[in-house]
């Protein structure tokens, strides 16, 4: 340290270099048992130190060893593999502490979404709450208002159950893999279906491709296992009506068309008037299909990167281009999802350990997910 004229300590470049040298030395001592070192690079500020060489054991074993060692020094371990075959260990300054979110926000959003979806559900049950509410306020007919809201319960409970189970699938599997995740946030809106869906937030990075695959696929699988039987129930409660016009009809996927023909077979000139439970299940399956698009931060993007690695970026651009074409030729709503994909990013970030490949079973399931996507996606929903 040097001092100014007033005796205050000043920055010493020599002491900074010594501190940086000590950090690199300490980190090198921790990695020498897991990699045959060829080269070392460090950032100017010492925020990251890169060790290049060849791992002496499997990437998974190496990461498990380095994770705790680096954390004790205040660093996070990352594993990468270069195109030339070199293995790279990155010591990134900082760790991701486990933090708890405030459940009051989650509960408040859920309560609001219950009301907005019940309002939407009442409209699907042919009840106009905009007339019932003023009448209740003017005449004190609160029983009629309560009855009107209850009429929206089948739709609301079905939809919220599907969305909630979907997000809890992500949450539970994420916690099992040690990922710091929040509880689901529901998004209420005062129009349409009463909600824009729900989401959870990852507050720490995913450790490897296995965890990325499991967390990404858990939500769609969990939600679909609830939506499918509810769709069957809803279809069985639906009615056949004369087809007066094709306007206002909901679109159909291959799977839903097959289910409709099986449960509600009908002749030409007739259509199925969906029960509110079926409408909610239809929306749940639609969201599942869109979430399986193999791009960016969508669930399908997680699965695609886990299976294909960086090759998933090419698949994401293909999917994006297909959405743009579909926006011009099939349904303009695909432009909205394409915009969302641009905002969140088409490329998927790598997990901390990006070397360990996915096991064969998960790869097979990943490719089967593509077939599942093709069965449930609805090209023209509305």
């Amino acid at each position: 340290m040097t001092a100014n004229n007033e005796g205050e300590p000043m920055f010493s470049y020599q002491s900074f270099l010594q501190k940086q040298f000590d950090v690199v030395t300490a980190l090198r001592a921790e990695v020498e048992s897991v990699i045959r070192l060829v080269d070392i690079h460090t950032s100017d500020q010492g925020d990251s130190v890169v060790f290049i060489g060849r791992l002496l054991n499997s990437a998974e074993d190496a990461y498990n060893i380095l994770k705790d060692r680096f954390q004790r020094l205040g660093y996070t371990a990352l594993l990468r593999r270069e195109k030339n075959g070199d293995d790279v260990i990155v010591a990134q300054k900082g760790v991701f502490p486990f933090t708890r979110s405030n459940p009051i926000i989650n509960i408040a959003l859920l309560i609001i979404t219950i009301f907005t979806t019940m309002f939407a559900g009442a409209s699907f049950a042919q009840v106009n709450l905009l007339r019932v509410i003023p009448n209740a306020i003017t005449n004190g007919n609160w029983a009629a208002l309560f009855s009107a809201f209850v009429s929206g319960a089948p739709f609301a409970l079905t939809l919220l159950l599907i969305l909630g189970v979907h997000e809890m699938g992500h949450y539970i599997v994420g916690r099992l893999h040690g990922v710091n995740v929040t509880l689901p946030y529901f998004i209420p809106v005062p129009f349409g279906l009463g909600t824009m869906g729900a989401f959870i937030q990852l507050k720490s990075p995913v450790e490897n491709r296995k965890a990325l695959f499991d967390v990404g696929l858990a939500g769609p699988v969990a939600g679909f296992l609830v939506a499918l039987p509810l769709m069957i129930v809803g279809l069985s409660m639906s009615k056949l009506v004369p087809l007066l016009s094709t306007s206002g009809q909901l679109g159909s996927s291959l799977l839903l068309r097959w289910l409709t023909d099986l449960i509600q077979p009908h002749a030409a000139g007739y259509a199925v008037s969906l029960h509110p439970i079926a409408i909610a299940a239809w929306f749940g399956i639609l969201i599942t299909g869109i979430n399986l698009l193999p791009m960016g931060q969508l669930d399908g993007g997680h699965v695609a990167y886990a299976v294909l690695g960086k090759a998933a970026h090419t698949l994401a651009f293909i999917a994006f281009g297909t959405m743009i074409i579909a926006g011009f030729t099939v349904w303009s709503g695909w432009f909205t999802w394409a915009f969302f994909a641009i905002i969140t990013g088409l490329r998927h970030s790598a997990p901390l350990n990006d070397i360990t490949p996915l096991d064969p079973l998960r790869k097979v399931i990943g490719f089967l997910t593509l077939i599942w996507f093709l069965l449930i996606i609805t090209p023209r929903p509305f």
Side-chain angles (χ1 to χ4, degrees):
M1 274 298 173
T2 60
N4 59 18
N5 294 333
E6 298 177 354
E8 295 291 334
M10 296 178 62
F11 173 77
S12 169
Y13 188 66
Q14 184 176 1
S15 65
F16 168 76
L17 289 178
Q18 182 61 49
K19 183 178 180 181
Q20 188 175 20
F21 176 79
D22 292 341
V23 168
V24 174
T25 301
L27 290 169
R28 177 173 180 168
E30 301 294 353
V31 305
E32 285 183 330
S33 63
V34 299
I35 191 172
R36 186 182 295 108
L37 274 175
V38 175
D39 200 2
I40 301 175
H41 300 290
T42 181
S43 63
D44 292 339
Q45 300 299 319
D47 293 334
S48 63
V49 182
V50 180
F51 300 92
I52 303 172
R54 294 297 175 92
L55 293 175
L56 300 175
N57 41 23
S58 72
E60 189 169 6
D61 291 340
Y63 183 82
N64 289 335
I65 292 171
L66 294 173
K67 177 175 63 174
D68 295 332
R69 291 181 178 181
F70 280 13
Q71 193 169 26
R72 287 195 296 268
L73 296 172
Y75 282 76
T76 297
L78 293 85
L79 294 188
R80 303 288 184 263
R81 177 162 288 158
E82 300 294 332
K83 291 182 179 180
N84 62 4
D86 285 342
D87 296 321
V88 177
I89 299 174
V90 180
Q92 185 67 44
K93 190 173 184 179
V95 295
F96 296 92
F98 183 85
T99 57
R100 296 185 181 276
S101 56
N102 187 353
I104 295 177
I105 299 175
N106 305 85
I107 295 172
L109 288 174
L110 174 59
I111 292 173
I112 297 171
T113 308
I114 289 174
F115 279 100
T116 56
T117 52
M118 288 185 72
F119 194 98
S123 67
F124 289 122
Q126 308 302 316
V127 176
N128 191 341
L129 280 172
L130 293 178
R131 293 182 179 178
V132 176
I133 293 175
N135 182 54
I137 295 174
T138 303
N139 303 321
N141 192 359
W142 302 111
L145 178 60
F146 176 78
S147 178
F149 262 105
V150 169
S151 69
F155 171 85
L157 294 179
T158 300
L159 182 55
L160 294 180
L161 180 62
I162 295 170
L163 295 176
V165 170
H166 179 119
E167 298 305 327
M168 287 306 296
H170 289 311
Y171 177 84
I172 292 172
V173 174
R175 293 296 299 272
L176 289 174
H177 278 289
V179 182
N180 187 8
V181 294
T182 65
L183 289 169
Y185 292 95
F186 286 85
I187 309 172
V189 293
F191 52 84
L193 297 167
T195 179
M196 291 292 288
F199 69 94
I200 63 169
Q201 182 182 7
L202 302 183
K203 303 184 75 173
S204 65
V206 179
E207 186 170 299
N208 51 45
R209 293 190 187 182
K210 174 183 174 181
L212 182 62
F213 181 89
D214 292 352
V215 173
L217 194 57
V221 169
F224 184 75
L225 289 177
V226 173
L228 182 60
L230 287 172
M231 188 72 205
I232 294 173
V233 171
L235 281 173
S236 66
M237 299 172 67
S238 300
K239 298 178 181 179
L240 295 180
V241 296
L243 180 59
L244 302 177
S245 172
T246 57
S247 63
Q249 284 190 305
L250 297 177
S252 185
S253 63
L254 292 174
L255 177 63
L256 292 182
R257 190 176 300 119
W258 178 80
L259 282 176
T260 302
D261 291 341
L262 178 67
I263 299 172
Q264 290 284 4
H266 53 278
Y270 284 83
V272 179
S273 178
L274 294 177
H275 187 276
I277 290 178
I279 295 175
W282 174 89
F283 179 72
I285 294 174
L286 172 68
I287 291 299
T288 300
I290 292 174
N291 263 304
L292 287 176
L293 284 165
M295 61 172 62
Q297 298 306 308
L298 293 174
D299 298 335
H302 300 324
V303 174
Y305 190 93
V307 175
L308 301 173
K310 292 182 179 179
H313 296 159
T314 301
L315 182 59
F317 281 103
I318 293 174
F320 177 77
T322 303
M323 290 171 67
I324 295 297
I325 295 173
F328 282 110
T329 60
V330 181
W331 177 53
S332 61
W334 288 118
F335 289 130
T336 302
W337 288 102
F339 176 74
F340 173 78
I342 287 291
I343 294 298
T344 58
L346 293 178
R347 293 177 176 271
H348 195 287
S349 57
L352 297 177
N353 171 12
D354 196 34
I355 296 180
T356 303
L358 207 61
D359 57 276
L361 177 60
R362 284 182 171 84
K363 285 185 178 180
V364 171
I365 295 174
F367 286 113
L368 290 177
T369 300
L370 178 61
I371 299 175
W372 177 31
F373 164 76
L374 295 175
L375 288 174
I376 66 173
I377 192 64
T378 302
R380 188 184 181 91
F382 306 101

